[in-house]
Amino acid sequence: MLASAFHWLRRLANPPLFVVTITGGVARVTKGQAPPLWIGEITSIAGDFGIHCGRIDGVRTWRGVELRFSPDLPAASHQRFRNTFGVHRVGKH
């Protein structure tokens, strides 16, 4: 419960550039624009980890675009999402 409240406060302080929502194990962009090939990778990773729902936000920071994950995405999956995002965004920024 506390993790969820903290996540929403962070979203209010720094609104996402894009949002990818995982529903039923399938990823789709629900706000903004994200690399299309990356969306397919997210669906594949979600299947590997048995993820049925969750959200990934792309937020601008002083280091560039970073990913933030909803509390229902297992921490063990975060690095794989980051790695594939890095591959698919090369040359895009």
Side-chain angles (χ1 to χ4, degrees):
M1 176 86 134
L2 187 57
S4 183
F6 180 70
H7 178 74
W8 281 106
L9 288 174
R10 287 179 73 184
R11 288 187 93 214
L12 290 173
N14 188 3
L17 299 170
F18 63 83
V19 177
V20 177
T21 303
I22 301 169
T23 305
V26 177
R28 68 181 186 88
V29 179
T30 54
K31 176 188 177 189
Q33 294 181 340
L37 293 175
W38 182 55
I39 303 307
E41 293 284 344
I42 292 173
T43 298
S44 176
I45 294 168
D48 291 348
F49 282 90
I51 299 169
H52 298 285
C53 64
R55 192 180 52 260
I56 302 172
D57 297 342
V59 295
R60 184 166 307 282
T61 69
W62 62 275
R63 291 178 281 207
V65 177
E66 293 184 1
L67 302 179
R68 292 205 181 133
F69 306 94
S70 64
D72 43 355
L73 293 177
S77 68
H78 295 184
Q79 192 59 48
R80 282 199 49 203
F81 289 125
R82 286 187 191 104
N83 291 348
T84 58
F85 180 68
V87 168
H88 291 293
R89 75 175 177 160
V90 171
K92 305 286 184 194
H93 299 286

